[in-house]
Amino acid sequence: MMPFEKCPVCGGELAKKDVEKIVRGGADTAVLTVPAEVCLHCGERLYSQETVRRFAEVREKLERRETKGMAEIGRSFKVA
């Protein structure tokens, strides 16, 4: 259960949606599909504590380069 009935940023209505979240760890990134409460007015995303913990776990694995079980989907480049 989310602690907000309305968006804490703009007061808009929230709706449950599955969203993609990019998590960075070290030089790598991972794309996760997670549930969120999304504001229908401003787009603000609210995540449960469990989902935020999952972000931290994935970030730590990426920093340690422990990518077993993760599917490689491409390469990223930084343009100077």
Side-chain angles (χ1 to χ4, degrees), residues 4-58:
F4 300 102
E5 291 184 22
K6 297 285 184 180
C7 176
V9 175
C10 74
E13 182 180 346
L14 298 172
K16 293 180 184 182
K17 295 185 178 187
D18 286 336
V19 299
E20 285 190 345
K21 171 74 173 170
I22 297 174
V23 176
R24 298 178 74 178
D28 297 315
T29 58
V31 179
L32 291 80
T33 300
V34 297
E37 295 280 336
V38 180
C39 177
L40 300 177
H41 180 71
C42 73
E44 180 72 14
R45 295 177 178 185
L46 305 175
Y47 302 104
S48 69
Q49 289 180 352
E50 179 181 324
T51 299
V52 172
R53 281 192 287 273
R54 185 170 177 214
F55 295 157
E57 290 170 3
V58 170

Side-chain angles (χ1 to χ4, degrees), residues 24 75-80:
R24 298 178 74 178
R75 296 172 35 184
S76 298
F77 301 91
K78 182 176 180 180
V79 178

Side-chain angles (χ1 to χ4, degrees), residues 56-74:
E57 290 170 3
V58 170
R59 185 175 294 110
E60 289 171 7
K61 285 183 178 184
L62 290 172
E63 288 172 353
R64 293 191 304 263
R65 302 188 102 7
E66 294 175 7
T67 57
K68 184 177 180 179
M70 296 183 193
E72 186 174 330
I73 58 172

